[in-house]
Amino acid sequence: MHPYERYKANVSIVQVAESLGYVLNKKAGRNPLEFKHPERNTIVIRNLKGPQRFFTRHEPQNKGTVIDFVRHRLPLFREYYFRESEGINKILSSFSGEVYVPARSLKNEPVRKSFDVRNFDVLPAKLSDLVYLSKHRGLHDDTLSVFLPYIQLVKPSWSGSLPFNIGFPYRVPGTEGIVGFEQVNYLFKGHAKGSDKTNALWAADVAQTGSFARHIYIAESAIDAMSFYQLHLHKLPLHQATFYSTGGYVTDQQLRNLLKQHPNALIHTLFDNDLAGHLYDIRTACMKENRSLLIRKDGDTVHFSMDNKSFPLSSSRVSLTNFRQVSGLRPDIRVHKAQGKDFNEMVMSRASGMAASVRMR
């Protein structure tokens, strides 16, 4: 069965809508259900006992199944994706209880289109420009001040009407030229067209030690890196650290370039607490030890091949700890996992809890 058919049968549009902040309008009746959103048009959901369908008031083309619901709202989800289908699968797999491993997470990125920073208007960011990060992603001004030198405002130079996005410049470790941008904003998250996501990363040298940083922290997004910093500021030697973001997926060449730049640093991984994140930990460990690794997923089993040796692990048991046991590999890296999907989810959860506490007083 195609994954989309499983999602239609197993994932409720109501569940997905509520996760985005849609609220049931009880005054409108019980069947069909009407849901309102403070910033978007109202939706109506039908076929409550079967595969659900929806339509959007005042947007006649915005209707259909749960697949269409997600497709029309991809920028609202806190996920990185390179193709629309990858975004839909990644989002709905989490709602259906499945584990989705994009093919790109198991191999290098394809050949990219060219990038030229001269095609973009780029400005230095100020704290007042980062309201999205502070108000909607829970990052404190103290945290943003530390990372401010590594954040810019970006928009295509050919468009006068598009707003500036918050941009995290990508460079190949050890070089100065900007070869891409990781971008976020209200209702938007992605990379600037042509960004080199194969070789380059975002770097924040908070220790200001260049290639001599003692601790390297690698995250899937700049927001997760900053969130980890905020959560662990007083627990870890973060003043001796450089933070990196891979921009959603991790390629072998990104890791090679980073490790070449920091051959003597202790590597910390901050990848998501899901199967893909655990696989990134394992790939980083093998790269650190200069060991070849092939990964193949077959149903609920992940097959690893390292140095002509093969060993399987069930998806639920995939972690660097279990990989060490079956492979005998003993890499000197530190794995940090969030309580939940990622570290920004923890930051936002704590921010929501504090707001609720203030309201109750």
Side-chain angles (χ1 to χ4, degrees):
M1 180 186 294
H2 191 280
Y4 280 10
E5 298 304 317
R6 293 201 304 274
Y7 300 150
K8 292 176 187 177
N10 300 322
V11 180
S12 164
I13 298 177
V14 171
Q15 180 186 13
V16 182
E18 289 181 335
S19 75
L20 293 178
Y22 285 88
V23 178
L24 175 64
N25 180 12
K26 297 181 180 179
K27 297 180 180 180
R30 300 177 63 87
N31 193 2
L33 297 180
E34 181 178 286
F35 284 78
K36 292 186 175 182
H37 191 282
E39 299 175 356
R40 301 183 66 83
N41 284 340
T42 297
I43 63 169
V44 177
I45 301 176
R46 294 174 169 169
N47 304 335
L48 301 181
K49 296 184 178 180
Q52 296 176 350
R53 298 187 68 86
F54 80 100
F55 68 87
T56 306
R57 297 198 188 281
H58 311 301
E59 291 184 49
Q61 303 303 317
N62 192 340
K63 62 181 180 180
T65 67
V66 69
I67 307 299
D68 303 295
F69 183 84
V70 172
R71 178 182 292 115
H72 283 282
R73 293 159 181 81
L74 273 175
L76 298 178
F77 296 90
R78 296 192 303 114
E79 295 286 357
Y80 280 97
Y81 52 89
F82 292 90
R83 294 194 308 268
E84 180 182 88
S85 60
E86 289 177 342
I88 293 171
N89 274 289
K90 194 172 184 181
I91 292 161
L92 287 178
S93 63
S94 65
F95 282 98
S96 64
E98 301 177 14
V99 176
Y100 174 65
V101 182
R104 294 171 190 262
S105 69
L106 308 182
K107 61 184 180 181
N108 283 342
E109 288 293 308
V111 177
R112 64 185 177 88
K113 298 180 180 179
S114 60
F115 174 90
D116 190 337
V117 71
R118 292 173 296 182
N119 294 328
F120 297 85
D121 293 335
V122 181
L123 299 174
K126 305 183 297 293
L127 279 180
S128 58
D129 300 318
L130 306 182
V131 175
Y132 168 75
L133 297 177
S134 59
K135 299 298 184 183
H136 290 262
R137 303 308 287 266
L139 294 172
H140 299 162
D141 283 352
D142 288 347
T143 299
L144 294 173
S145 295
V146 171
F147 289 89
L148 194 60
Y150 313 101
I151 304 174
Q152 297 174 327
L153 301 181
V154 184
K155 75 171 182 177
S157 57
W158 49 263
S159 175
S161 60
L162 290 176
F164 278 95
N165 291 316
I166 297 169
F168 303 95
Y170 270 45
R171 297 177 173 89
V172 177
T175 68
E176 292 297 324
I178 296 176
V179 294
F181 289 103
E182 178 183 337
Q183 299 178 102
V184 297
N185 210 334
Y186 297 93
L187 307 181
F188 176 78
K189 178 166 59 174
H191 290 80
K193 185 177 180 181
S195 294
D196 184 353
K197 302 183 292 289
T198 300
N199 301 283
L201 308 93
W202 172 71
D205 183 14
V206 298
Q208 297 186 3
T209 54
S211 61
F212 297 102
R214 296 179 61 184
H215 297 268
I216 301 301
Y217 294 84
I218 315 171
E220 293 181 43
S221 74
I223 289 177
D224 272 341
M226 293 186 289
S227 298
F228 180 85
Y229 176 94
Q230 180 168 303
L231 291 165
H232 297 89
L233 177 59
H234 303 295
K235 302 176 184 177
L236 296 172
L238 302 183
H239 61 286
Q240 302 172 345
T242 295
F243 288 83
Y244 284 92
S245 167
T246 65
Y249 298 130
V250 182
T251 72
D252 288 349
Q253 196 57 46
Q254 283 177 320
L255 295 175
R256 289 191 189 99
N257 293 337
L258 189 154
L259 292 171
K260 182 180 178 180
Q261 180 70 5
H262 302 281
N264 300 314
L266 179 61
I267 303 300
H268 301 254
T269 62
L270 313 179
F271 302 133
D272 289 358
N273 192 12
D274 56 16
L275 177 58
H278 288 295
L279 290 175
Y280 296 154
D281 295 330
I282 293 169
R283 291 178 61 201
T284 304
C286 289
M287 194 69 65
K288 181 76 164 60
E289 298 298 309
N290 198 27
R291 309 290 282 273
S292 63
L293 177 70
L294 295 176
I295 303 173
R296 178 175 60 87
K297 189 171 184 292
D298 182 14
D300 193 46
T301 302
V302 180
H303 299 270
F304 300 91
S305 297
M306 186 185 74
D307 298 339
N308 299 319
K309 297 179 181 179
S310 300
F311 28 86
L313 284 173
S314 65
S315 296
S316 61
R317 296 193 66 246
V318 171
S319 68
L320 181 56
T321 298
N322 290 333
F323 181 80
R324 282 177 170 137
Q325 293 176 354
V326 298
S327 69
L329 194 70
R330 296 293 183 268
D332 186 18
I333 72 171
R334 302 290 186 269
V335 173
H336 305 268
K337 291 297 179 191
Q339 298 173 5
K341 180 182 179 296
D342 56 46
F343 290 105
N344 188 242
E345 184 177 278
M346 290 181 63
V347 164
M348 294 179 68
S349 176
R350 294 187 182 187
S352 298
M354 292 179 63
S357 175
V358 170
R359 288 196 298 268
M360 291 175 62
R361 292 178 182 176

